[in-house]
Amino acid sequence: MPQEAIFSPFFVTVFLTLIVWVYMYIRRISFFTDRKIRPEDLAAPGALAQISPPNVSNPSDNFKNLFEIPVLFYALVLYLFITKQVDTIYVNAAWVFVVFRLLHSTVHCTFNLIMLRFYLYLFATLALWFIAIRAALIHFGR
């Protein structure tokens, strides 16, 4: 398996973050325009969070969430590539992570069914922990 194969799920995750970022700003700008909110009205920390309805706050929360667990994914992908350990198992697990993160973001940014979102997050994160534990076992087993 080519080592570069691990970068396809990597970049899909990067572009998922871009899409959520764009969607977040579309929702925010629409909210500001509809309510005639001026930027100075939001100068106090937390002001936007206090007045935002879920259709505005959920994309923002999801965007923040994409800088939590996915950061470990990016680090692990780079580790696997640098150490030339990329194989079919890692690439498939990375795709599982990405698909479930994509579904999680879609749910979180739209209809936000909490239990569905929880299970999507859980499955994505389990795939990530599988990658991390397998890589650590191989590293420490040397």
Side-chain angles (χ1 to χ4, degrees), residues 49-100:
Q50 290 178 344
I51 64 169
S52 294
N55 70 338
V56 175
S57 63
N58 287 349
S60 177
D61 292 343
N62 188 260
F63 182 70
K64 291 175 202 167
N65 192 254
L66 288 168
F67 289 93
E68 295 171 354
I69 288 291
V71 171
L72 296 175
F73 174 70
Y74 297 134
L76 285 165
V77 165
L78 294 173
Y79 168 78
L80 293 171
F81 179 77
I82 290 167
T83 59
K84 298 181 180 4
Q85 293 184 54
V86 175
D87 63 14
T88 304
I89 294 170
Y90 282 128
V91 172
N92 288 337
W95 277 116
V96 168
F97 174 78
V98 171
V99 167
F100 280 98

Side-chain angles (χ1 to χ4, degrees), residues 79 85 133-142:
Y79 168 78
Q85 293 184 54
I133 291 167
R134 183 173 183 242
L137 288 173
I138 291 169
H139 173 78
F140 289 113
R142 291 182 182 181

Side-chain angles (χ1 to χ4, degrees), residues 27-43 47-48 50-53 56:
R27 301 303 303 174
R28 281 183 177 181
I29 292 168
S30 295
F31 177 68
F32 296 162
T33 305
D34 293 346
R35 301 266 176 104
K36 297 181 180 19
I37 297 171
R38 298 171 305 150
E40 50 273 8
D41 295 337
L42 303 172
L48 178 59
Q50 290 178 344
I51 64 169
S52 294
V56 175

